[in-house]
Amino acid sequence: MNIKRRITPPFTIHTSTSYNNRTQYHTHFHYEIYYFRGGKVNYLINDRIHSLEPGDMLLMHGMTLHKAHVINNDAYIRTTLHFDPYFFKQYIQPAFAPDLLTPFEKLHNVRLQLRSEDKAEVEAELQKLEELYQQHTPHAQQRFQARLLDLLILIYNHCEQPLQTQASFPTLKEQHVQSIISYVEAVFREEMTLEAIQNELHLSKYYLAKTFKEVTGMTIFQHLMHRRIYQAKLQLIELSNSITAIGYEVGFKHPSHFSRVFKEHTGMTPERYRKEHKLHAI
């Protein structure tokens, strides 16, 4: 099931060490700064899988489908900071500065690999932000917003460098899973079979199915459904096409199947989802 997480405050930040691998793919309207501190995890963002190392930071446009998959139940330590982009632009973004949200909106969920002094600087900023967030006073909130501005300026400076580098994968299995995800991204609107993936990648369909489940924690066809529903959500918000037309467009052959799967993933019908989210998106 794909979960649409609701984050009501304009900012939230917390460091966590617990995780349940049954946590589903999810989206949210807030932007996310995700900082990985330790453990072994594959992080899936839409059509990309990242094998994270301590010091890696992900900048995510919240409406992009994302999910972590912890390997071997290792300790999983990370700090996540969510913030409302509308609030930020209205109250915090300096008029004289470049648009500090550009990395979230233009770099397609970029991964920063921070090391040495850069890593220490970001960790100190996140620690101070978390301390201020926990104080719950107007003065602390003002200081939090000032520190968040400083952090986003720092991140913007890092993103001015060439950041779109080839993803690195420590194992051959993860390379194969990335190939599957890329294939699904290219054809998710069409009918898809394991035989077709096997022919495309020249690998046994049984190996591909087993490896995908091992690396991501879900089956290939569960991922396919998540991808179709994610695309449907975007189109329901952005377009005025009929529900039936959108179902066909994202790969469903029957409107009843589309409505049923959409409700299983989101907890609401496509009609209700459009009604609740259209205004916010505008």
Side-chain angles (χ1 to χ4, degrees):
M1 179 181 293
N2 172 28
I3 299 173
K4 181 71 174 66
R5 294 192 172 173
R6 296 186 180 277
I7 307 168
T8 52
F11 313 100
T12 64
I13 183 172
H14 69 281
T15 297
S16 180
T17 59
S18 62
Y19 186 74
N20 183 343
N21 250 336
R22 290 176 294 180
T23 300
Q24 302 296 325
Y25 259 134
H26 60 276
T27 60
H28 43 72
F29 283 109
H30 282 49
Y31 288 1
E32 180 172 344
I33 299 170
Y34 169 102
Y35 182 74
F36 182 62
R37 296 179 177 271
K40 186 171 177 59
V41 66
N42 290 330
Y43 207 101
L44 286 77
I45 310 177
N46 197 17
D47 64 340
R48 178 65 60 184
I49 177 171
H50 298 279
S51 297
L52 298 182
E53 300 176 9
D56 284 0
M57 175 181 282
L58 300 174
L59 310 179
M60 290 184 277
H61 186 294
M63 279 300 289
T64 301
L65 210 58
H66 53 281
K67 175 188 183 300
H69 178 61
V70 179
I71 309 299
N72 298 328
N73 295 317
D74 285 0
Y76 173 38
I77 309 169
R78 73 283 189 195
T79 299
T80 53
L81 191 161
H82 298 96
F83 65 96
D84 186 332
Y86 304 101
F87 184 93
F88 182 86
K89 283 189 175 184
Q90 185 174 359
Y91 296 108
I92 302 176
Q93 167 74 52
F96 56 83
D99 185 352
L100 298 176
L101 300 187
T102 299
F104 299 86
E105 297 166 350
K106 302 295 184 184
L107 293 183
H108 306 294
N109 306 295
V110 69
R111 172 189 183 183
L112 304 178
Q113 295 181 290
L114 305 171
R115 303 295 182 262
S116 304
E117 294 84 0
D118 293 334
K119 179 174 179 289
E121 183 178 14
V122 165
E123 289 183 357
E125 288 288 338
L126 290 173
Q127 180 179 343
K128 188 62 180 178
L129 279 166
E130 196 160 5
E131 291 172 358
L132 291 168
Y133 180 73
Q134 293 170 355
Q135 292 179 26
H136 304 294
T137 66
H139 180 66
Q141 185 179 36
Q142 286 182 316
R143 294 185 63 198
F144 180 95
Q145 293 181 18
R147 297 287 280 209
L148 176 60
L149 175 61
D150 187 55
L151 176 63
L152 287 176
I153 292 171
L154 177 63
I155 288 172
Y156 186 91
N157 290 337
H158 280 293
C159 290
E160 288 182 321
Q161 306 168 16
L163 294 173
Q164 300 291 14
T165 56
Q166 199 76 14
S168 59
F169 300 97
T171 71
L172 188 61
K173 285 183 177 181
E174 285 159 351
Q175 293 181 46
H176 290 155
V177 168
Q178 180 59 61
S179 296
I180 296 169
I181 292 174
S182 297
Y183 178 79
V184 171
E185 181 65 19
V187 304
F188 73 87
R189 293 179 173 88
E190 306 166 13
E191 185 174 358
M192 197 184 77
T193 65
L194 285 177
E195 288 75 14
I197 303 175
Q198 174 179 263
N199 294 336
E200 177 72 19
L201 302 182
H202 306 291
L203 292 167
S204 161
K205 63 182 180 181
Y206 304 106
Y207 165 81
L208 292 172
K210 178 176 180 295
T211 300
F212 194 92
K213 174 75 171 178
E214 179 183 328
V215 172
T216 70
M218 72 181 76
T219 70
I220 295 173
F221 289 97
Q222 285 172 332
H223 173 69
L224 172 64
M225 287 298 108
H226 285 304
R227 182 63 184 92
R228 287 176 174 173
I229 295 302
Y230 167 59
Q231 189 67 28
K233 288 163 67 176
L234 293 181
Q235 294 194 15
L236 286 166
I237 293 171
E238 297 171 358
L239 306 178
S240 58
N241 298 13
S242 70
I243 303 297
T244 299
I246 289 174
Y248 288 138
E249 168 64 21
V250 301
F252 290 91
K253 289 187 173 181
H254 303 289
S256 59
H257 185 215
F258 170 52
S259 293
R260 179 173 59 80
V261 174
F262 191 94
K263 189 170 183 179
E264 288 175 355
H265 280 243
T266 67
M268 62 183 75
T269 64
E271 293 84 357
R272 182 181 168 194
Y273 184 88
R274 168 176 272 172
K275 182 178 180 181
E276 290 197 5
H277 295 91
K278 191 84 171 178
L279 181 61
H280 192 164
I282 294 171

